[in-house]
């Protein structure tokens, strides 16, 4: 495939807020990302900033111990490189095959990694039968595909790329022609609605390339997202692939920020960078993400240079022998450097349903909860906000509603009704917040959190 790898110039400026690394509340369990010491791996360092650090994974490489050694040490989010695409999951119409994708999901679950799903609808890597379809028959095949695949992975996906690369390159700012597009301009919103119905707990993203700076294409996407948000089409996030040929564009951070200001989460989804200033370029991407509070995390498109789809360009963080490159060190240092410590705010949930102050006047904390409820289950996101002084640990008392069963939680240690910080999110600066969450079956009625600072 040919594509323009877009480079740019310019340094990004940082808001200097030094992240003090967690003083853990007495007795709190220490649960570091990937079991590593805080600040010494990409995943742990990103987690200290409330972010994830991920990579694309190929199922066929999971038997390679060098590959999995790096994967499980450094990364806490996984995107299947090809295994969730349409040609892989529905090679024959109506016959679904999840072999490779299920292997990757099983690996992630066994190693405490979260999953990005990629991608439900894309004009490339369509199975042959779909390439030969058009009109209403194709539209219904598309929607059946979204519903079935998102349904198969319900509850297991942090974020789905529902639609990939639907905008045209160049100056039109409009949609790319494809058989998908020719089923009608509303195919994208129809896909997002079908995905929400199939997996209400997954964040739903639009993902594209050459949208990394402010340009005609990214503005086309921006206008679509703005329109979707205003009309209640369920979109939660925008993915910026960031296949770069040097420094990110000078307006990279400003571009992320303008999308974030629409109320969506932003994610760097397929980062790889060629060129001689690779280390600086990686650092600049990381700094931009850390400067945008709704930038949830960064995914590189592969682990070692030899794993990259950009053959011969060596655009990744590890060399072919699995050694850390200068770009790795620059990335880790940027993750450990100054930057916003806030977590990403909830983007698709209704406003907090309840809130309760705790911990005393002036130096305690406040907990609020927002809920994303669907038929039979919910995700609760709990925000812990420090009062007028920094806190060094917190516990939120929050009984689970009767009839509800917690099936998973993140950024927290639970003991009955007590939810306590983990190592990397106990320290919260005055007036700042961090978030944890859990998913449960049942109904989220009467959630009433109380916060106390350690
Ligand atoms: C690439 C994979 O890395 C290759 O293995 C495959 O042959 C082609 O697709 N944008 C995307 C990704 O959204 O899915 C693409 O992945 C890279 C460009």
């Amino acid at each position: 495939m040919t594509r323009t790898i877009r480079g740019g110039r310019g340094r990004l400026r940082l808001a200097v807020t030094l992240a003090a690394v967690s003083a853990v509340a007495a007795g709190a369990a220490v649960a570091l990302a990937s079991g590593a010491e805080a600040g010494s791996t990409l995943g742990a360092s990103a987690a200290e900033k409330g972010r994830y650090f991920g990579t694309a994974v190929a199922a066929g490489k999971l038997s390679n111990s060098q590959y999995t050694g790096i994967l499980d040490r450094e990364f806490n989010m996984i995107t299947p490189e090809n295994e969730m695409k349409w040609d892989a999951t529905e090679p024959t119409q109506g016959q679904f095959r999840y072999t490779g994708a299920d292997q990757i999901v099983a690996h992630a679950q066994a190693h405490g990694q979260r999953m990005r799903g990629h991608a439900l609808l894309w004009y490339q890597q369509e199975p042959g039968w779909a390439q030969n379809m058009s009109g209403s028959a194709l539209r219904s095949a598309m929607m059946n595909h979204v519903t079935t695949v998102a349904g198969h992975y319900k509850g297991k996906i942090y974020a789905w790329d529902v639609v990939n690369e639907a905008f045209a390159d160049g100056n039109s700012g409009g949609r790319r022609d494809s058989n998908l597009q020719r089923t009608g301009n509303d195919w994208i919103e129809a896909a997002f609605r079908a995905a929400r119905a199939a997996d209400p707990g997954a964040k739903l993203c639009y993902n594209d390339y050459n949208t990394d700076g402010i340009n005609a294409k990214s503005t086309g996407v921006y206008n679509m997202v703005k329109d979707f948000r205003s009309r209640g089409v369920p979109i939660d996030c925008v993915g910026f692939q960031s296949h770069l040929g040097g420094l990110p564009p000078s307006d990279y951070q400003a571009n992320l920020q303008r999308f974030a200001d629409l109320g969506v989460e932003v994610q760097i989804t397929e980062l790889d960078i060629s060129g001689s200033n690779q280390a600086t370029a990686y650092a600049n991407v990381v700094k931009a993400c850390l400067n945008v509070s709704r930038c949830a995390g960064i995914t590189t498109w592969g682990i070692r240079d030899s794993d990259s789809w950009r053959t011969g360009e060596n655009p990744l963080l590890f060399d072919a022998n699995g050694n850390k490159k200068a770009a790795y060190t620059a990335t880790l240092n940027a993750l450990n450097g100054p930057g916003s410590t806030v977590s990403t705010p909830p983007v698709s949930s209704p406003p907090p349903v309840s809130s309760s102050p705790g911990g005393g006047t002036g130096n305690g904390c406040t907990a609020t909860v927002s809920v994303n409820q669907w038929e039979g289950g919910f995700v609760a996101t709990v925000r812990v906000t420090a009062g007028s002084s920094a806190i060094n640990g917190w516990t939120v008392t929050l009984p689970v509603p009767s009839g509800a069963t917690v099936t998973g939680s993140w950024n927290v240690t639970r003991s009955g009704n007590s939810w306590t910080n983990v190592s990397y999110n106990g320290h919260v600066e005055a007036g700042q917040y961090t978030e944890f969450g859990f998913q449960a079956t049942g109904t989220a009625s009467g959630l009433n959190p109380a916060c106390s600072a350690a």
Side-chain angles (χ1 to χ4, degrees), residues 242-299:
S242 301
H243 296 294
L244 300 175
L247 297 179
S250 56
D251 52 8
Y252 188 75
Q253 181 181 321
N255 190 46
L256 297 178
Q257 188 66 57
R258 72 169 173 157
F259 279 88
D261 290 343
L262 294 176
V264 287
E265 186 170 299
V266 295
Q267 306 172 3
I268 314 303
T269 51
E270 304 183 14
L271 182 63
D272 51 18
I273 310 177
S274 61
S276 54
N277 46 14
Q278 186 178 59
T280 306
Y282 266 101
N284 286 359
V285 169
V286 170
K287 290 170 187 174
C289 179
L290 293 183
N291 280 341
V292 175
S293 68
R294 285 184 183 174
C295 182
I298 298 171
T299 296

Side-chain angles (χ1 to χ4, degrees), residues 228-252:
F228 280 10
R229 299 289 291 180
S230 75
R231 291 190 294 112
V233 177
I235 185 167
D236 308 303
C237 38
V238 176
F240 299 84
Q241 293 185 9
S242 301
H243 296 294
L244 300 175
L247 297 179
S250 56
D251 52 8
Y252 188 75

Side-chain angles (χ1 to χ4, degrees), residues 162-186:
V162 178
V163 170
N164 196 33
E165 302 186 354
F167 276 72
D169 290 315
N171 291 326
S172 77
R175 300 283 181 86
R176 166 194 299 284
D177 179 55
S178 70
N179 63 338
L180 309 177
Q181 179 63 30
R182 289 191 293 270
T183 68
N185 204 52
D186 64 340

